[in-house]
Amino acid sequence: METYLRMADLPYQNYFDGKLSPQGKMPWIEYNQEKVSGTEFIIDFLEEKLGVNLNKNLGPHERAVSRAVTKMVEEHFYWTLAYCQWVDNLHETQKMLSLSGPFSDLLKWILCHLTKGIVKREMYGHGIGRFSEEEIYMLMEKDMRSLAGLLGDKKYIMGPKFSTLDATVFGHLAQAMWTLPGTRPERLIKGELINLAMYCERIRRKFWPEWHHDDDNTIYESEESSEGSKTHTPLPDFSFYSRTETFDDEGAENSISRTPDTDFTGHSLFDSDVDMDDYTDHEQCK
């Protein structure tokens, strides 16, 4: 939900008190003493009250595809990630929790194992939890491959402009990118499905400029590389790139610094403001 608010350029304030909606769910928002819960209902509410519409450039067919993919991500892919985070990778998840105090380790252990039990129960009720671990990961991989195929070499899922679907997809893929170290989804997104990793980086740079992760020099594996000789491409430090595309140095407007991670205009290939169509046309003319 937070990614949607940033994409819509709406001011907001987070509250981390563990409070749930009357339906016992998250996310929820409060606007002028009016509370709304559930992602879809929140988006409809904001569109009605504030005139926000991230899907204004989508036609009827694209809107239908967007809704179908959103439901795949929210109602299916979500549970496979929850399994990886809170069941199969619980030890690493426990390390990531930030609690202070003399009993912080014990509290983290209790919180993680309580959450694990809740997730397993909810997954069983959903139905996906009745499958084996290998089957759950197989379903996860199919969802991720579907997203990678739909994205292709486009800037955003539905084309050159971001939409509500991108907020949903990023919110889920970000977990595989940055909160599940050493797991199967992380290896997949940073290896074979590299276009999803690049997609996540573009969105992170554009809408979360203050977010600098410890693993900014992530190593990606080339899909064509053999197991014995893999080519590695380190991701450059994001702080070197500007969101504003302005130059402070004298004479910079007449000189373009090109690196292996920039296109023919000097833009970073990870930058969400790169015009992918222009880049493709330029490469075809070379």
Side-chain angles (χ1 to χ4, degrees), residues 13 42 89 110-111 128 138 172 177 203 219 243 245 251:
Q13 183 175 355
I42 291 173
N89 202 44
I110 293 173
L111 176 61
I128 196 171
M138 186 183 301
H172 289 74
M177 277 286 291
I203 292 179
I219 301 296
R243 239 181 121 192
E245 299 181 22

Side-chain angles (χ1 to χ4, degrees), residues 86-207:
W86 294 104
V87 180
D88 191 35
N89 202 44
L90 187 64
H91 183 65
E92 290 298 324
T93 299
Q94 185 174 329
K95 293 179 183 177
M96 293 181 186
L97 293 181
S98 177
L99 292 176
S100 59
F103 303 107
S104 58
D105 289 340
L106 176 61
L107 290 174
K108 286 195 289 186
W109 187 93
I110 293 173
L111 176 61
C112 283
H113 283 79
L114 283 175
T115 305
K116 175 182 178 179
I118 294 171
V119 168
K120 291 181 71 173
R121 184 179 70 245
E122 294 290 332
M123 288 183 67
Y124 190 84
H126 176 278
I128 196 171
R130 306 179 188 220
F131 296 111
S132 68
E133 176 181 311
E134 186 59 34
E135 288 171 328
I136 290 173
Y137 277 117
M138 186 183 301
L139 294 173
M140 171 189 280
E141 183 172 335
K142 286 184 177 181
D143 287 346
M144 293 180 70
R145 289 187 183 279
S146 296
L147 291 173
L150 184 60
L151 175 63
D153 60 359
K154 301 191 299 295
K155 185 184 292 188
Y156 299 108
I157 298 290
M158 300 306 296
K161 296 184 180 298
F162 56 84
S163 66
T164 299
L165 177 58
D166 294 294
T168 301
V169 172
F170 174 79
H172 289 74
L173 288 180
Q175 298 178 57
M177 277 286 291
W178 294 296
T179 71
L180 297 172
T183 61
R184 291 170 67 169
E186 187 203 45
R187 292 195 298 270
L188 190 60
I189 196 173
K190 294 180 180 178
E192 188 176 348
L193 305 182
I194 192 68
N195 67 326
L196 293 182
M198 303 281 278
Y199 166 79
C200 287
E201 296 293 354
R202 284 198 296 274
I203 292 179
R204 184 177 81 154
R205 289 205 179 166
K206 184 172 181 66
F207 299 105

Side-chain angles (χ1 to χ4, degrees), residues 38-55:
T39 302
E40 191 167 357
F41 294 112
I42 291 173
I43 291 173
D44 290 344
F45 174 82
L46 293 176
E47 286 185 359
E48 179 183 349
K49 293 290 184 179
L50 303 177
V52 177
N53 186 358
L54 298 184
N55 295 330

